[in-house]
């Protein structure tokens, strides 16, 4: 089994120490900085474009010798032609791609680390963070290049990360737009596989406002106030922002679990998500 962790590390240094202590082959990170990768880890040889004014990116990181990784070089989506081991991206701050081959002779599969970053709207809004669904749709459009018109079961794709989206949330006006993210993933043959309860340490208690009482969402993100409450009382009140998708058929080989118990959470505002690929 290939062991993978998906984690938004909030550009912090302490998560790297925790990653190296885990028995993990690959890390799909969000809000990482390739300049802080420790010597014992390996990441893409293609540095991010720092001229765009952004200071954190999605990363695919190799953490063991049990797999071989071939990273894809991000190129502008407007480029006329794309060479092998290049990925045409709408926004280099939102997606990282690599081909993983389990050693010694496993079947290769593609991995994508997704980060639907917030974008400020062009008009005044009460939602100070802006919107993230546009970034998510750019990611989906870029994923489309790896999905042919044939049976989706012929693909072996794993895409995971922070979409800054709350599945089935009805309280915010952006909910209909957020729904389209999951609809488009499904249209591409990418199955939403988790994390969903009971594949997590804990569920939120009480259920966050705006979610159905029988929600299978599990908290993967905590605000500073929610984090303080969890550390002091053990209460887990937060939303799910992190998700895992896989090609239809390939999803049957994948297990997902959210490490969202206070003792397992880790040193970021997002929890770690364990992914196993048979």
């Amino acid at each position: 089994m290939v062991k993978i962790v998906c984690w938004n590390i909030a550009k912090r240094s302490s998560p790297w120490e925790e990653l190296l202590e885990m028995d993990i082959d690959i890390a799909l990170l969000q809000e990482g900085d390739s300049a802080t990768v420790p010597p014992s880890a390996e990441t893409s040889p293609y540095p991010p474009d720092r001229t765009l004014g952004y200071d954190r990116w999605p990363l695919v990181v190799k953490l063991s010798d049990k797999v071989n990784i071939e990273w894809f070089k991000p190129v502008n989506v407007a480029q006329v032609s794309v060479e092998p081991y290049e990925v045409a991206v709408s926004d280099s701050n939102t997606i990282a791609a690599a081909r993983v081959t389990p050693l010694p002779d496993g079947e290769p599969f593609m991995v994508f680390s997704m980060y639907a970053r917030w974008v400020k709207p062009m008009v005044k809004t009460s939602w100070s963070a802006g919107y993230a669904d546009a970034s998510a749709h750019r990611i989906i459009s870029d994923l489309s290049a790896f999905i042919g018109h044939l049976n989706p079961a012929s693909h072996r794709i794993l895409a995971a990360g922070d979409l800054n989206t709350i599945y089935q949330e009805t309280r915010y006006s952006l909910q209909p737009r957020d729904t389209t993210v999951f609809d488009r993933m499904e249209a591409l043959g990418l199955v939403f596989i988790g994390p969903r309860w009971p594949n997590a340490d804990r569920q939120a208690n009480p259920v966050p406002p705006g979610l159905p009482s029988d929600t299978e969402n599990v908290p993967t993100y905590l605000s500073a106030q929610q984090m303080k409450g969890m550390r002091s009382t053990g209460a887990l009140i937060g939303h799910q922002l992190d998700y895992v998708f896989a090609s239809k058929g390939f999803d049957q080989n994948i297990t997902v679990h959210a490490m969202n118990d206070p003792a397992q959470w880790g040193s970021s505002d997002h929890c770690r998500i364990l992914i196993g690929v048979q």
Side-chain angles (χ1 to χ4, degrees):
M1 176 184 290
V2 178
K3 299 177 182 178
I4 300 172
V5 64
C6 175
W7 197 9
N8 182 321
I9 63 173
K11 205 186 176 184
R12 300 176 184 178
S13 57
S14 50
W16 286 106
E17 300 173 10
E18 294 164 273
L19 284 170
L20 295 177
E21 293 173 354
M22 299 176 70
D23 180 21
I24 294 296
D25 301 310
I26 301 166
L28 305 180
L29 304 182
Q30 300 83 49
E31 294 197 45
D33 184 347
S34 54
T36 64
V37 177
S40 56
E42 186 179 356
T43 190
S44 171
Y46 309 111
D49 186 354
R50 297 176 183 271
T51 65
L52 299 177
Y54 206 65
D55 66 347
R56 59 198 67 192
W57 303 267
L59 300 172
V60 177
V61 182
K62 179 181 177 182
L63 293 170
S64 87
D65 293 328
K66 298 177 182 178
V67 295
N68 181 58
I69 295 187
E70 300 162 285
W71 285 273
F72 279 64
K73 178 182 179 180
V75 298
N76 192 307
V77 72
Q79 188 167 304
V80 174
S81 62
V82 177
E83 300 297 325
Y85 291 99
E86 291 184 341
V87 53
V89 296
S90 309
D91 183 343
S92 60
N93 299 318
T94 62
I95 190 169
R99 177 177 281 112
V100 175
T101 303
L103 298 175
D105 55 1
E107 188 174 357
F109 59 94
M110 290 294 304
V111 295
F112 297 88
S113 177
M114 306 183 293
Y115 178 54
R117 66 184 183 92
W118 294 104
V119 180
K120 292 292 185 181
M122 300 295 291
V123 296
K124 291 183 178 180
T125 176
S126 59
W127 186 234
S128 59
Y131 57 97
D133 60 302
S135 292
H137 281 295
R138 292 186 182 101
I139 292 169
I140 296 170
S141 294
D142 296 341
L143 285 172
S144 299
F146 291 84
I147 300 173
H149 65 282
L150 302 175
N151 185 344
S154 65
H155 304 293
R156 291 171 57 85
I157 293 173
L158 171 68
D162 174 11
L163 295 183
N164 279 314
T165 297
I166 305 173
Y167 182 64
Q168 293 185 329
E169 156 69 65
T170 61
R171 186 173 48 156
Y172 299 118
S173 60
L174 290 181
Q175 186 271 335
R177 290 167 56 170
D178 288 347
T179 299
T180 64
V181 172
F182 296 89
D183 290 344
R184 281 191 69 194
M185 285 289 201
E186 183 178 2
L188 288 178
L190 295 174
V191 179
F192 173 26
I193 58 175
R196 312 293 290 152
W197 184 255
N199 295 316
D201 295 336
R202 298 268 297 274
Q203 270 191 303
N205 187 17
V207 173
L211 290 176
S213 59
D214 62 348
T215 181
E216 295 179 350
N217 283 16
V218 295
T220 64
Y221 165 79
L222 300 179
S223 67
Q225 183 177 0
Q226 291 167 340
M227 181 69 72
K228 183 177 180 181
M230 182 184 72
R231 298 299 188 198
S232 62
T233 69
L236 186 62
I237 304 173
H239 273 298
Q240 180 168 352
L241 300 182
D242 306 85
Y243 304 92
V244 181
F245 300 83
S247 302
K248 189 174 183 180
F250 184 47
D251 66 298
Q252 300 300 310
N253 301 330
I254 296 172
T255 58
V256 175
H257 186 88
M259 299 175 62
N260 63 359
D261 183 80
Q264 300 290 333
W265 189 277
S267 57
S268 179
D269 50 1
H270 290 249
C271 76
R272 292 170 286 183
I273 298 173
L274 292 178
I275 304 169
V277 180
Q278 293 283 2

